[in-house]
Amino acid sequence: NAGVTQTPKFRVLKTGQSMTLLCAQDMNHEYMYWYRQDPGMGLRLIHYSVGEGTTAKGEVPDGYNVSRLKKQNFLLGLESAAPSQTSVYFCASSADRVVGELFFGEGSRLTVL
Amino acid sequence: RKEVEQDPGPFNVPEGATVAFNCTYSNSASQSFFWYRQDCRKEPKLLMSVYSSGNEDGRFTAQLNRASQYISLLIRDSKLSDSATYLCVVIANTGGFKTIFGAGTRLFVKA
């Protein structure tokens, strides 16, 4: 089973460039999330979605946009990348918001020069 | 003060040792508690949920202390393969459910 798949796995950008991270899940989960993980810090929620066509801001949404046009896909966009956005990005999905297990993708390592 | 705090470690233990980690949380409205495991340069994966009555899964035991607002993870008979970072995760109801991750505790098990 594929579970949660993220693309690309690695990317290097120059400041000001734009890019989109794609997340796909095959578990029919309603909830999807984008997190970033930085050294010494817990995963921080960027944006999330509670179902197809919905998106909501998380803890650190500035500089990012998301879309969930199809239930299985959740896209994270950086319109104008900044060095502060250098991080590892994880997509996750869950069947339940409170007690459900979070299933993570393998992560996308982004470096902004 | 961080909402979820963990000792970053690293904890260096020999094979066969027993090791325990604690995680404290600040929000008394926290409802659900979990331990996730994250291997180096990999994604987090659920290790176990933490119930009010405690939870045991093989060599792993998790406990919740609501009065003191902490959860614990005990690993008995440590294996080399237990080397990883252990993330404490708390879900709090703050007018909407919020999942909060601790920064993790690193464990190295040595032969």
Side-chain angles (χ1 to χ4, degrees), chain A residues 32-55:
Chain A
M32 296 188 75
Y33 317 83
W34 276 108
Y35 287 93
R36 60 178 290 172
Q37 187 174 38
D38 300 293
M41 304 183 74
L43 277 81
R44 291 182 293 168
L45 183 63
I46 304 170
H47 286 280
Y48 66 98
S49 169
V50 301
E52 181 179 313
T54 75
T55 63

Side-chain angles (χ1 to χ4, degrees), chain B residues 50-101:
Chain B
V50 188
Y51 306 121
S52 296
S53 57
N55 190 19
E56 184 173 322
D57 183 4
R59 297 182 293 108
F60 298 84
T61 299
Q63 294 193 316
L64 167 64
N65 186 317
R66 284 192 183 273
S68 300
Q69 297 188 190
Y70 75 85
I71 66 173
S72 64
L73 177 67
L74 180 77
I75 305 175
R76 290 181 297 275
D77 189 22
S78 299
K79 311 292 185 189
L80 294 176
S81 58
D82 293 335
S83 297
T85 297
Y86 292 84
L87 308 178
C88 170
V89 181
V90 174
I91 298 181
N93 189 351
T94 56
F97 291 104
K98 180 179 179 182
T99 302
I100 309 157
F101 284 80

Side-chain angles (χ1 to χ4, degrees), chain A residues 10 35 37 40-43 59 90 97-102 104-107 109, chain B residues 2 31-32 34 36 38 41-46 87 91 97-99 101-103:
Chain A
F10 302 93
Y35 287 93
Q37 187 174 38
M41 304 183 74
L43 277 81
E59 182 184 355
F90 287 101
R97 184 79 174 95
V98 182
V99 297
E101 177 179 355
L102 286 168
F104 287 87
E106 293 181 334
R109 293 184 173 274
Chain B
K2 292 182 180 178
Q31 293 190 257
S32 304
F34 309 88
Y36 277 71
Q38 186 173 23
R41 301 177 78 85
K42 298 288 189 180
E43 73 274 23
K45 293 183 179 179
L46 180 66
L87 308 178
I91 298 181
F97 291 104
K98 180 179 179 182
T99 302
F101 284 80

Side-chain angles (χ1 to χ4, degrees), chain A residues 4-11 19-25 32 34 72-78 89-91 104-110:
Chain A
V4 179
T5 304
Q6 292 179 229
T7 54
K9 298 286 192 294
F10 302 93
R11 185 74 187 269
M19 75 159 295
T20 299
L21 296 175
L22 172 63
C23 177
Q25 54 99 0
M32 296 188 75
W34 276 108
Q72 64 267 35
N73 295 337
F74 195 30
L75 278 64
L76 177 70
L78 285 72
Y89 292 85
F90 287 101
C91 176
F104 287 87
E106 293 181 334
S108 299
R109 293 184 173 274
L110 174 65

